[in-house]
Amino acid sequence: MSLYGTMRTGVSGMNAQANRLSTVADNIANANTTGYKKASTQFSSLILPTTGGAYNSGGVTTDVRYSISAQGTFTYTTSATDLAINGSGFFIVKGSDGAEYLTRAGAFTPMDDGTLRNTAGYTLMGYEYSSTADPTIVINGYDGLSEINLKSGSLTATPSTSGSLDVNLPSNEEHPYTKATSLVAYDSLGNSRKLDFTYSTTATAGEWNLTVTYTDPDTGTPQTLAAQTLNFNSAGELVTPASGVISTSSLTFGTGTGASVLSGLDISIGATTQLAADFSADGDIDGSGPSEISGYEISSDGIVSLKYDNGDLIPKFRIAMANVQSPDNLTPLAGNVYSQSNDSGVIVMGYAGNSGYGSILSGALEDSNVDIAEELTSMIESQRNYTANSKVFQTGSELMEVLVNLVR
């Protein structure tokens, strides 16, 4: 056995324990870091071949592993933009260098420009939402992603397209009899347009005329948008029109860039009746006037919807998620983010709640998965082992001194 080998073995052991202490220190320092995944040091023996009956001491090597796939507990907050993933997957964020990274740190805060950034300065990414189909994603790449922006469409107006108006026309009124009611519709610029619905008896029993008019508030001139004859059976049920729908013509207001259009509306009147009761009306037309954003909501499947003053909740984005075949082999980077490595496998994109991806919790943060008691125990073990290895080095050094003194 070589005394030099003994000393090198002692140094190897001290270096290994120093590495373990480094991971313990990092874990304890980040015990309260949102989404942090603990590191651990694994030891592997280094054995040198024995020759001539003499034992050659080897040493120990270390390998740092990360418990990225181990989920932490949740802390619930009052902010809707604090996000946590319950299950597998990662948020996709963009750094100041323009590159995309993976993270579980979901403490996002709305910025002045409407984007969402976490405490490390990374911006949350996703896809623009479509009401007709899920956004098309590139399964193995980040193409098509855009920054999620809570100021997108900060002022919105929804033009009217359809509505309903159910009335009871009194069957015991003598001819001629006329009664009117009104509904408000919205044109393409969000202007409110009052439509008047006028019901008049005819000389034929069970028959009424319905006209829909719009009166220009400046000129006071009414314009007929629809005219329909209504017929009822002996039970007071509407039989004409058979479709139970009356359609209005379109209106154009103004000229040039300031022009607006009230598109033709389909008004359902199928529940209109003619019974021996007073005139009554119940109805509504869709659409809304200009309204500002008053808040936002993020669903468990990652749909980001904007709330408006008028009560509308309009989906605008869908949060993108990603995963790899071996999350524990991702490369950790500063800011609690990860990048793909040769051992992690390729990045696969998807959505929350689909294809094995976890659900998104709004108003929650994922805690660090560090166990302080376990780390303190590891620290004490490393301290004792480091001291023991230093004793091996010290003993080898003392024996070397004895050999030197023998020469003298």
Side-chain angles (χ1 to χ4, degrees):
M1 177 183 73
S2 169
L3 290 177
Y4 281 116
T6 301
M7 296 171 66
R8 291 192 185 96
T9 300
V11 170
S12 172
M14 286 189 288
N15 284 335
Q17 296 304 324
N19 286 342
R20 187 183 186 190
L21 280 170
S22 295
T23 58
V24 168
D26 216 13
N27 290 340
I28 293 176
N30 288 279
N32 294 320
T33 300
T34 299
Y36 175 80
K37 304 301 181 179
K38 71 175 183 178
S40 61
T41 304
Q42 305 298 320
F43 298 91
S44 178
S45 61
L46 178 62
I47 299 177
L48 299 180
T50 300
T51 58
Y55 181 80
N56 292 321
S57 60
V60 61
T61 60
T62 58
D63 178 51
V64 177
R65 297 181 182 177
Y66 297 91
S67 301
I68 299 174
S69 60
Q71 182 164 315
T73 57
F74 299 115
T75 296
Y76 293 91
T77 72
T78 58
S79 174
T81 57
D82 282 340
L83 305 176
I85 300 173
N86 185 15
S88 301
F90 298 85
F91 297 115
I92 302 170
V93 292
K94 185 172 70 174
S96 57
D97 57 356
E100 286 82 9
Y101 301 94
L102 309 182
T103 189
R104 298 274 293 195
F108 295 104
T109 302
M111 308 304 291
D112 290 341
D113 59 359
T115 58
L116 291 173
R117 295 182 191 173
N118 64 14
T119 51
Y122 290 89
T123 303
L124 182 63
M125 305 295 287
Y127 297 97
E128 292 187 4
Y129 181 82
S130 170
S131 60
T132 57
D134 283 338
T136 301
I137 62 174
V138 178
I139 296 176
N140 60 345
Y142 298 121
D143 291 346
L145 287 173
S146 61
E147 296 179 348
I148 290 179
N149 194 308
L150 298 182
K151 286 189 176 179
S152 175
S154 57
L155 193 66
T156 184
T158 305
S160 299
T161 58
S162 62
S164 64
L165 180 59
D166 301 321
V167 304
N168 178 67
L169 302 173
S171 61
N172 50 2
E173 291 289 346
E174 296 183 359
H175 176 71
Y177 173 82
T178 300
K179 193 69 175 181
T181 189
S182 301
L183 289 176
V184 172
Y186 297 91
D187 65 21
S188 57
L189 296 182
N191 298 300
S192 61
R193 306 293 179 179
K194 185 170 73 74
L195 305 183
D196 297 317
F197 294 76
T198 303
Y199 299 85
S200 302
T201 58
T202 70
T204 303
E207 183 179 87
W208 296 69
N209 287 328
L210 167 61
T211 57
V212 183
T213 58
Y214 171 77
T215 302
D216 189 320
D218 295 327
T219 64
T221 303
Q223 184 173 347
T224 300
L225 303 181
Q228 177 70 51
T229 298
L230 310 182
N231 293 104
F232 298 87
N233 60 21
S234 59
E237 298 169 336
L238 182 70
V239 293
T240 304
S243 64
V245 174
I246 182 172
S247 299
T248 69
S249 57
S250 299
L251 278 176
T252 300
F253 306 92
T255 59
T257 57
S260 62
V261 176
L262 177 63
S263 300
L265 308 176
D266 289 332
I267 308 297
S268 172
I269 59 171
T272 298
T273 58
Q274 181 192 250
L275 299 172
D278 293 338
F279 179 90
S280 61
D282 181 31
D284 193 18
I285 294 178
D286 63 4
S288 62
S291 181
E292 293 186 350
I293 295 174
S294 61
Y296 28 83
E297 183 177 293
I298 301 175
S299 65
S300 60
D301 54 358
I303 297 176
V304 181
S305 301
L306 304 183
K307 294 180 180 178
Y308 289 87
D309 290 334
N310 59 11
D312 287 346
L313 188 65
I314 300 178
K316 290 290 186 179
F317 294 93
R318 190 162 190 182
I319 297 172
M321 293 184 67
N323 209 349
V324 293
Q325 290 78 7
S326 180
D328 291 341
N329 286 317
L330 288 167
T331 301
L333 301 172
N336 209 7
V337 297
Y338 307 97
S339 64
Q340 178 183 334
S341 70
N342 292 330
D343 298 325
S344 67
V346 298
I347 291 176
V348 180
M349 307 284 287
Y351 297 119
N354 291 332
S355 303
Y357 291 94
S359 59
I360 292 178
L361 302 179
S362 176
L365 295 173
E366 182 180 0
D367 299 328
S368 165
N369 61 1
V370 172
D371 185 331
I372 289 292
E374 182 181 331
E375 298 303 320
L376 290 176
T377 302
S378 297
M379 182 173 64
I380 294 171
E381 291 176 349
S382 296
Q383 182 183 9
R384 298 287 175 83
N385 292 338
Y386 190 96
T387 301
N389 279 282
S390 69
K391 290 295 184 181
V392 172
F393 180 87
Q394 183 181 2
T395 300
S397 176
E398 291 173 352
L399 291 175
M400 285 294 297
E401 186 176 356
V402 171
L403 286 177
V404 171
N405 289 334
L406 286 176
V407 175
R408 295 177 182 172

